[in-house]
Amino acid sequence: MFKKFFAFFISSVLLFFSFSAAGAEGEFLIDSTVEYKVSETGITRVIHAITLENVFSNFYATTYKLRLENIKADNIRAYDDKGELDSQTEVGNETVIINVNFPDPLVGKGNRRDFNIAYNASGLAQKTGEVWEISAPKLSDKSSYRFYQVSLLVPDGFKSEAYMSPQPVNRGYLDGYKTFVFSKETVSKTGITAGFGDFQVFSFNLAYHLENPLSGNAAVDVAIPPDTSLQKVYYEVINPKPQNVNIDADGNWLATFMLKPRERIDVTVKGSVQIFSGPRQFPKPADETLAKNLLPSDYWQTEDPDILKLASTLNTPKKIYDFVSTKLKYDYDRVKPNAVRLGAKKALESPNNAICMEFTDLFIAIARAAGIPAREINGYAYTENKVIQPLSLVADVLHAWPEYWDKAKQTWIPIDPTWASTTGGVDYFNKLDLRHFTFVIHGIDALKPYPPGSYKLGTNPQKDVFVNFGSLPENRNPKITLSYKKDKYKPFADQKVTVNVENAGAQSEYNVIIKTIFDNDEKAEDLNMGTIPPFAQREFSVTIPFSFFAAKTPGNVYVLYKDEKLIIPTAKREVIILNLIIILLIFAVITFLLLVKLGKIKPERVLYLIHIKK
């Protein structure tokens, strides 16, 4: 007598959700391929192609159930090669259960039933800012399947791949779609997360509260978001305008404000940041800076025996990342204002009490001990789920992650071992997502400069960091302006001119080479002023020589940068007149002495006349 198997159950949960088979273990062999075909609008057509093969001659399936959690599914159908299959849908608050009924018994060991369940899902692909982000479920119980494979089809209009985790076993192109194939082994570890787009854009509005407690004037530096190899910042407003913006050895941008005695001011900084999917050409750090990014600190105990022992075997960034992301466990109870930073050594001693600072500090300490320059980044990281992707620098809810120096690529590589741990192994090593926005860099100093959100006054400070998805501003070019100030002209001396180079534009200007030309001299003097951020200014001096009859004194000095041309008139005319006066005086003296010698003029008579005039 044949036995019916009434229910076959599959479940699905959005994002870090899973598929699992239950209730028929051992009676059937299951093969499944799942295709996610994303449309240009983000609606995803999902097709589960399922094969059930009888293991025994006296068992057969009559019903199959597919459960979807947190997925808005519509246009649902079940079918096989003969046509539509009878199906019913049960809709709950957060679940959709699709019941498929088989019309005829399929009896016999080894017999196979092939069928499909298809539906539209509106939540798997979402456009966040400039990037299409796609998520697909993981396979929670791979032992239930003999074969399992996932295909992701993405329209060519979604631009280039920004990041993907895990890596597919195969890539291709078919009828206007990029195709990515994932094996049972890869999707059983984590769900698929992918982003498509050349860059992401965030807008930001930051506030800094500054105070000068001294009885004299004081200069106060604050860190504003800088350019890096993975981000470009466009500034709209810095109010009040800073005295200058300088760049420290780690690449931080420090805006300087002059405060009067006992003065308090609020500084507003507004702009946009463009975050790229891969490193762009960017100035390299000095060798001296990289050497300092190997040194120990109070939080990066590179000389500790336990850390040195780990570094002897964990001698690559990937090995360190894997160790840190699996060794430490995130402690949500520690996410509170003024959380004590444990540092690398204490993180090892208390691996279950880590937040993002400890994940970062332990990676940096081991990397530096292994001879790999590493540093800490403080910044903003966008997340929809703070349990899965937590933020733990509580000052306006910031985040910390490490970077290491890739000697072969000659660039800093950001990674996030914290999110690798809390997401259950999503790959934040091979390519970081487009959600990490750098505020400050801690390489030479483990604490300073302080990030935005830390400049507060009073016992009940307000929120000072606002970041949202944005778009590139229309006016986003640098604008270099030139001006000068001449020292007062002094006879018989070289004249000094101070040239001011200011960036009045929205973005930084790189490799600023200023040409200085005397008159029409073809030999221009080139001065490399490096990088000039927005609101920054640099100065240099030009010496205009004094020379006999102005033979080496130019009439004009030309200062050139691209289309900018500054003409500095010199004192050449005054030099010539002065030379003529000197020559006339010398000639008069010589003539006088000659006339005296010839007896034409008597000195006593001249002195007498001078005396009479007096």
Side-chain angles (χ1 to χ4, degrees):
M1 183 175 183
F2 299 115
K3 297 183 179 178
K4 298 180 181 180
F5 193 84
F6 287 98
F8 220 115
F9 187 77
I10 300 285
S11 68
S12 168
V13 183
L14 183 61
L15 191 58
F16 295 96
F17 48 130
S18 64
F19 289 128
S20 61
E25 185 176 356
E27 285 81 9
F28 301 92
L29 296 175
I30 312 171
D31 296 334
S32 179
T33 62
V34 185
E35 178 185 277
Y36 297 89
K37 189 174 185 179
V38 184
S39 71
E40 291 281 358
T41 62
I43 300 296
T44 303
R45 186 63 175 173
V46 186
I47 301 176
H48 298 257
I50 303 164
T51 296
L52 301 181
E53 181 177 326
N54 296 340
V55 174
F56 303 103
S57 59
N58 58 341
F59 280 90
Y60 65 91
T62 61
T63 304
Y64 189 92
K65 292 187 178 183
L66 177 69
R67 175 174 175 172
L68 311 175
E69 294 185 19
N70 297 320
I71 294 179
K72 295 180 180 179
D74 57 21
N75 194 17
I76 301 169
R77 61 184 292 247
Y79 58 95
D80 59 16
D81 58 354
K82 296 178 182 179
E84 298 295 317
L85 294 174
D86 177 55
S87 64
Q88 298 86 36
T89 302
E90 302 173 24
V91 180
N93 291 332
E94 297 181 351
T95 62
V96 175
I97 298 177
I98 304 169
N99 299 282
V100 180
N101 301 310
F102 304 127
D104 55 334
L106 185 64
V107 182
K109 180 179 179 181
N111 284 337
R112 297 160 56 100
R113 183 184 296 278
D114 299 317
F115 64 99
N116 304 283
I117 301 176
Y119 55 89
N120 289 346
S122 58
L124 301 183
Q126 297 182 359
K127 191 172 185 182
T128 54
E130 300 292 327
V131 178
W132 276 100
E133 295 187 319
I134 300 169
S135 60
K138 77 172 183 177
L139 176 63
S140 64
D141 184 10
K142 66 179 181 180
S143 64
S144 298
Y145 295 87
R146 178 175 60 183
F147 176 83
Y148 189 88
Q149 181 176 281
V150 174
S151 296
L152 174 64
L153 284 71
V154 178
D156 197 39
F158 277 18
K159 297 185 178 180
S160 59
E161 174 192 334
Y163 57 88
M164 185 170 292
S165 174
Q167 290 299 302
V169 296
N170 190 21
R171 299 168 185 262
Y173 189 82
L174 178 66
D175 297 333
Y177 282 83
K178 306 180 184 79
T179 62
F180 307 89
V181 178
F182 302 85
S183 67
K184 179 171 69 173
E185 286 69 26
T186 56
V187 296
S188 63
K189 296 178 181 178
T190 64
I192 300 168
T193 58
F196 293 86
D198 296 329
F199 56 81
Q200 181 62 279
V201 179
F202 291 101
S203 64
F204 59 86
N205 188 338
L206 311 173
Y208 302 75
H209 311 287
L210 310 181
E211 181 180 22
N212 175 19
L214 306 177
S215 57
N217 293 338
V220 179
D221 289 341
V222 299
I224 61 175
D227 282 358
T228 71
S229 64
L230 287 168
Q231 72 181 37
K232 177 178 277 295
V233 185
Y234 306 94
Y235 280 92
E236 176 187 350
V237 171
I238 301 182
N239 185 34
K241 182 180 177 181
Q243 294 282 99
N244 208 343
V245 178
N246 292 300
I247 305 175
D248 70 10
D250 279 324
N252 292 294
W253 288 5
L254 303 176
T256 302
F257 298 89
M258 292 300 301
L259 272 67
K260 298 176 182 177
R262 318 296 182 190
E263 184 180 15
R264 296 174 67 164
I265 64 171
D266 294 326
V267 178
T268 299
V269 176
K270 296 181 181 180
S272 303
V273 60
Q274 185 179 15
I275 299 176
F276 301 98
S277 60
R280 62 193 177 98
Q281 188 175 1
F282 195 74
K284 304 295 188 296
D287 291 341
E288 180 183 359
T289 299
L290 290 176
K292 291 180 179 179
N293 288 168
L294 289 168
L295 298 178
S297 78
D298 290 342
Y299 302 101
W300 308 322
Q301 299 93 344
T302 59
E303 298 173 349
D304 177 78
D306 292 334
I307 290 175
L308 285 171
K309 183 178 179 181
L310 288 170
S312 66
T313 56
L314 304 175
N315 52 6
T316 69
K318 183 61 165 65
K319 289 179 181 179
I320 302 169
Y321 167 90
D322 289 341
F323 172 80
V324 172
S325 60
T326 54
K327 174 71 173 178
L328 302 185
K329 305 301 178 186
Y330 198 89
D331 185 357
Y332 293 89
D333 292 336
R334 286 190 59 222
V335 181
K336 59 186 68 174
N338 302 317
V340 176
R341 183 175 178 179
L342 302 180
K345 183 170 176 56
K346 288 187 178 178
L348 273 179
E349 295 171 351
S350 303
N352 295 326
N353 301 115
I355 54 178
C356 67
M357 293 183 291
E358 283 70 49
F359 283 87
T360 300
D361 287 341
L362 184 56
F363 179 92
I364 293 172
I366 298 174
R368 290 190 174 195
I372 304 167
R375 62 189 191 179
E376 178 201 28
I377 303 297
N378 280 186
Y380 173 88
Y382 174 79
T383 176
E384 297 96 347
N385 190 328
K386 293 178 183 178
V387 174
I388 295 172
Q389 297 168 316
L391 310 172
S392 47
L393 292 176
V394 181
D396 272 332
V397 197
L398 302 186
H399 189 44
W401 62 92
E403 289 184 339
Y404 70 89
W405 178 253
D406 189 311
K407 188 176 181 180
K409 296 179 181 178
Q410 291 288 288
T411 189
W412 288 103
I413 304 295
I415 58 177
D416 196 337
T418 307
W419 283 10
S421 173
T422 56
T423 58
V426 172
D427 184 3
Y428 290 99
F429 180 84
N430 287 301
K431 187 175 282 188
L432 201 60
D433 59 20
L434 298 178
R435 299 175 169 214
H436 288 65
F437 173 16
T438 297
F439 281 177
V440 296
I441 303 162
H442 293 155
I444 296 174
D445 192 308
L447 293 172
K448 296 179 181 178
Y450 300 118
S454 303
Y455 300 81
K456 298 182 182 294
L457 298 173
T459 56
N460 188 26
Q462 66 271 38
K463 181 175 173 58
D464 294 326
V465 174
F466 298 90
V467 181
N468 299 290
F469 288 111
S471 58
L472 288 176
E474 291 185 7
N475 181 15
R476 57 179 184 270
N477 295 318
K479 184 180 179 182
I480 297 296
T481 61
L482 305 171
S483 61
Y484 72 92
K485 181 179 180 181
K486 290 193 293 187
D487 290 352
K488 187 176 181 181
Y489 173 69
K490 297 178 182 179
F492 309 108
D494 296 341
Q495 189 176 22
K496 300 288 185 181
V497 178
T498 301
V499 179
N500 182 272
V501 183
E502 183 175 1
N503 185 358
Q507 68 164 290
S508 183
E509 183 75 307
Y510 293 91
N511 195 32
V512 178
I513 298 177
I514 304 294
K515 294 182 179 293
T516 304
I517 304 175
F518 285 9
D519 285 338
N520 295 320
D521 189 353
E522 294 182 357
K523 296 180 180 179
E525 181 179 347
D526 292 349
L527 178 63
N528 191 337
M529 309 206 72
T531 301
I532 304 182
F535 293 87
Q537 51 187 311
R538 304 289 184 259
E539 291 184 347
F540 68 95
S541 295
V542 176
T543 299
I544 302 174
F546 175 86
S547 58
F548 184 69
F549 264 104
K552 296 183 179 180
T553 304
N556 291 294
V557 175
Y558 300 93
V559 180
L560 310 175
Y561 180 71
K562 294 184 177 179
D563 295 333
E564 288 292 311
K565 184 177 182 180
L566 178 66
I567 302 175
I568 306 173
T570 70
K572 183 172 184 174
R573 181 170 175 270
E574 290 84 347
V575 171
I576 293 173
I577 292 172
L578 180 62
N579 274 266
L580 287 172
I581 292 172
I582 292 171
I583 290 172
L584 289 174
L585 287 174
I586 293 173
F587 180 76
V589 171
I590 292 174
T591 302
F592 175 78
L593 294 175
L594 183 60
L595 291 174
V596 169
K597 187 174 183 179
L598 294 174
K600 302 296 184 180
I601 296 178
K602 296 184 182 295
E604 297 85 356
R605 180 63 179 169
V606 174
L607 293 172
Y608 175 75
L609 291 173
I610 293 173
H611 179 71
I612 291 298
K613 287 183 178 181
K614 288 182 178 181

